[in-house]
Amino acid sequence: MTWQVLVHGPLTRLDERVSAAVVDSVPRRLSELASDLGNLTVALPVLAAAMAYAVWHGRRTDALYAGLAMAAVPLLVIPLKEWTARPGPLEPWAEGYYPSGHTATAMVAYVGAAYLVSHRLVPAAAVLTAVTGTGLVLRGYHWPLDVLASLCLGFLILGAGGIAAVSSRCTRRSCG
C-alpha cells in the first residue's frame, strides 16, 4: 500500500475514486462523531482506565505493554506521514494523511483496553475501530488506504505487544 501511495499507482487511483463516491454520503454530524472516536481525548482515557484496571488486578506488565503500544503509534505514524506526504481528500494542499493516526490510535487503545479488561470485549473494540475508520473516510478526513494502512500498522503494534506480553509471562512461569 505504501508503495502505491508513493508512486501514485493504480491502487491509489482506485482509492481516490472510492473516496469521491462515499464522502458525505451520510450526514456529516454522524461521520464526524464516528471519526472522533479516534481522537486522543476519547481513546486515551479508555486505555488509561483499562491499564489502571490491569494494574489493580496485578497485571502491571500487561498494562506496561499496552502503554508502550500506544506510545509506538506516533513514533511510527508521524515518520510515515512525513515520508509519504500524501495530500488529504478534502485538502489537496495539505500533506501528511497517510497513514491515519486516528485509526491507529483507536485500534491500539480499544483493542488494547479490551485485552486488559476482558477478551470478550475484543469484538466491541473491533467495531469501535471500524466505526472510527469508516467515519474518517465518509467525512473526507482520510482516504480508504490511509485507514487500511493504519489497521495493518495496528495489527503489527498489537502483535508485537502481545508477543512481548506472552514471552514475559513465560519467563515468570514455565511455558513448557
Side-chain angles (χ1 to χ4, degrees):
M1 278 183 287
T2 303
W3 170 71
Q4 285 291 295
V5 168
L6 289 171
V7 301
H8 198 72
L11 192 55
T12 305
R13 291 190 293 278
L14 173 64
D15 188 42
E16 292 167 357
R17 286 193 303 275
V18 168
S19 182
V22 300
V23 167
D24 287 335
S25 62
V26 299
R28 282 183 169 218
R29 187 66 189 135
L30 186 60
S31 60
E32 196 161 320
L33 282 171
S35 65
D36 284 348
L37 291 171
N39 286 344
L40 291 174
T41 55
V42 177
L44 281 184
V46 172
L47 181 61
M51 290 169 65
Y53 175 88
V55 168
W56 181 263
H57 286 86
R59 296 178 29 233
R60 287 182 179 84
T61 304
D62 293 342
L64 173 65
Y65 285 126
L68 291 173
M70 183 52 72
V73 170
L75 293 175
L76 295 169
V77 168
I78 292 170
L80 281 168
K81 286 179 177 287
E82 295 287 326
W83 181 44
T84 59
R86 188 175 196 196
L90 299 180
E91 298 177 337
W93 60 88
E95 294 179 341
Y97 284 80
Y98 179 92
S100 165
H102 283 79
T103 304
T105 296
M107 182 174 190
V108 171
Y110 299 136
V111 174
Y115 273 106
L116 291 173
V117 174
S118 171
H119 291 187
R120 287 184 228 153
L121 294 174
V122 172
V127 168
L128 288 172
T129 302
V131 167
T132 303
T134 302
L136 290 164
V137 172
L138 293 176
R139 181 65 183 89
Y141 291 145
H142 276 286
W143 305 102
L145 281 180
D146 301 349
V147 169
L148 187 56
S150 289
L151 293 174
C152 293
L153 187 62
F155 279 117
L156 288 172
I157 291 169
L158 291 167
I163 291 168
V166 168
S167 67
S168 168
R169 283 188 206 112
C170 289
T171 59
R172 288 183 281 176
R173 62 182 172 209
S174 173
C175 285

